[in-house]
Structure formats: C-alpha cells, structure tokens
C-alpha cells in the first residue's frame, strides 16, 4: 500500500470528526478546489472551498450514527492519490458503504477531490 500523504490523512480525520472538525476540514482545501460527489444519487460538482464545505456541512445536519471510516488501500496513479475506503454505520443500508476518493494535491492542500461509490459506475 502507498503511504498516504498528510493532506489526505488530515482530510479523513477532519471529515470523521464531523462539525467539530469543520475548520480543519476547510484548511485541507485550496481556495479554488473542486469536489465531485455522488451522495444525492447523481454526481454534483462543487467549485471553491466555501461551496465544498457547505455541501459537506449538510452531513453534519443529519449525522449518521456511530460512523467509522476505514481506509482500505491507497495508490498513486498519474500524480493522483487514490484511496479506497469503507464507511460503517447503522444509518447505511446494510451497515456498510464503500467507494474511492481521488485526490489531486498542490502546495500542501487538496485542489481536486472526486468521490465515487462502489457499484455506481466508477
């Protein structure tokens, strides 16, 4: 497994902290970062740090119970850090979901993050 860069580790730690990790999560992203995610059932694109944090904050309003995120593996492909993960929570149908995050990093921050869910046509 590839060693996970500090920027990516900080992202996962901040995200899992929920609302108390908001400032740390915000600091993970470049001001003009782009985030693509499928969590509403269709892929949505968010441009800029403020828009990214706003969409992530929606999860803090309806937090999943007893959530735990596990990094399953990581690799660097064409300069992109790709992380396979699993999310465990009784709030998820079947208690588990999984997917991949693809991070582009520059100058110590995330400039692009693309999240796909397993079985969602990634």
């Amino acid at each position: 497994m590839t060693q996970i860069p500090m920027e990516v580790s900080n992202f996962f730690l901040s995200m899992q902290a929920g609302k108390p990790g908001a400032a740390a999560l915000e600091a993970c992203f470049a001001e003009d970062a782009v985030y693509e995610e499928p969590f509403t059932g269709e892929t949505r694109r968010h441009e800029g740090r403020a828009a990214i944090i706003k969409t992530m904050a929606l999860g803090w309003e309806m937090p999943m119970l007893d959530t735990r995120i596990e990094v399953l593996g990581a690799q660097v492909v064409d300069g992109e850090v790709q992380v396979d993960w699993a999310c465990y929570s009784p709030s998820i149908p079947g208690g588990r979901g999984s997917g991949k995050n693809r991070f582009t990093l520059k100058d110590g921050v995330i400039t692009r993050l693309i999240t796909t869910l397993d079985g969602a046509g990634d």
Side-chain angles (χ1 to χ4, degrees), residues 48-111:
R49 181 189 300 145
I52 293 168
I53 297 305
K54 181 178 178 181
T55 198
M56 289 188 173
L58 295 174
W60 304 330
E61 294 173 15
M62 297 177 285
M64 294 191 302
L65 303 172
D66 299 323
T67 301
R68 181 175 61 87
I69 299 168
E70 178 183 7
V71 172
L72 303 173
Q75 60 184 339
V76 177
V77 177
D78 296 328
E80 197 178 66
V81 180
Q82 298 182 0
V83 178
D84 294 306
W85 52 264
C87 182
Y88 302 91
S89 171
S91 301
I92 299 172
R96 181 184 186 276
S98 60
K100 178 180 294 224
N101 282 0
R102 296 172 28 216
F103 297 88
T104 302
L105 308 172
K106 184 177 178 187
D107 299 329
V109 292
I110 300 164
T111 58

